[in-house]
Amino acid sequence: MEYWKLIVLFASCFLGGMSIFFFKKENTKSIKLLLSFSGAYLFAITVLHLIPEVYETHDHNIGLYILGGFLFQIMLEQFSDGIEHGHVHNAGHSHHHFPYGIIISLCLHAFLEGMPLTQGHQNELLFGIALHHIPAAFALASVLVQNKISKNMIIAMIVLFSLMSPFGYILSNGLSNGSIGNIDAYFDRIMAVVIGIFLHISTTILFESSVDHHFNKKKLLAVLAGTAIALTGFFMHSH
């Protein structure tokens, strides 16, 4: 197990959530640009790396798992209010109650994302998860602040959310090396589900965060930068 990956997964999410205490909530321009960058990067690595890999298995039913992951993410967002892709403006509807549905759905989402990290293009997938968890954790912290949750509880929930992808990675590592059972044959299906989740999240990020679905110059540059980095990794790996 590569422990630096656990650190990256935890730190990116934790710092994204903790930043709520250091930045003005009204200053959302930087967050939106980061969202655009991460959405483009996530979409690009999904198309360039993850989808071709799962179809190499010649499992003709693999598309069903991708579709299932896409639909599963839609269902999760009925409870999470779209926080996975940095969506916060409807988050105040819970009237100062603890948002259990949001926490549970986010943790399940993050746990599933961590599971495929032991196989394939680990670094591309790792950084894709880390990038999109920064605004997601910030959005989660924003919801908790809006609902008047205590600072200590906010920090505890950020820590819990930050641990979910590392836990998924640890479990998948144990499964792949046989130390916790051996269901290696199911990894491609798990990856296919995550691909469906990524497709939904990345496309939602790219279009929902734009007024009338139009890209301004800064957002276009952020999208091109995210795509370019994914393409650079793709060409470096292919050679």
Side-chain angles (χ1 to χ4, degrees), residues 14-33:
F14 180 74
L15 293 175
M18 292 298 292
S19 66
I20 192 70
F21 300 118
F22 303 102
F23 296 100
K24 292 182 179 180
K25 186 175 65 175
E26 294 80 8
N27 185 17
T28 59
K29 291 183 180 179
S30 297
I31 292 292
K32 286 185 177 180
L33 287 177

Side-chain angles (χ1 to χ4, degrees), residues 167-235:
F167 282 164
Y169 172 58
I170 292 170
L171 176 63
S172 65
N173 185 74
L175 292 171
S176 64
N177 63 28
S179 62
I180 310 175
N182 188 2
I183 58 168
D184 192 64
Y186 296 97
F187 264 78
D188 289 318
R189 296 173 186 176
I190 296 171
M191 176 63 85
V193 171
V194 173
I195 285 170
I197 291 173
F198 279 177
L199 285 174
H200 185 280
I201 289 173
S202 60
T203 52
T204 303
I205 287 173
L206 290 173
F207 294 108
E208 186 187 68
S209 60
S210 302
V211 178
D212 297 326
H213 302 314
H214 292 299
F215 289 10
N216 58 37
K217 290 182 180 179
K218 288 184 178 180
K219 179 171 181 177
L220 179 59
L221 288 174
V223 169
L224 291 175
T227 304
I229 291 176
L231 281 168
T232 300
F234 173 75
F235 287 121

Side-chain angles (χ1 to χ4, degrees), residues 6 9 11 17 29 33 38 48 58 61 69 72 83 93 95 102 125 127 140 145 158 162 169 173 176-178 191 227:
L6 298 175
L9 287 171
K29 291 183 180 179
L33 287 177
S38 65
L48 295 171
H58 305 294
N61 294 320
F72 180 65
I83 286 177
H93 73 279
H95 306 297
I102 290 175
L125 181 56
F127 290 118
L140 171 61
V145 168
I158 293 171
S162 301
Y169 172 58
N173 185 74
S176 64
N177 63 28
M191 176 63 85
T227 304

Side-chain angles (χ1 to χ4, degrees), residues 5-17 130 134 162 166:
K5 294 181 178 180
L6 298 175
I7 295 172
V8 169
L9 287 171
F10 178 85
S12 60
C13 191
F14 180 74
L15 293 175
I134 295 172
S162 301

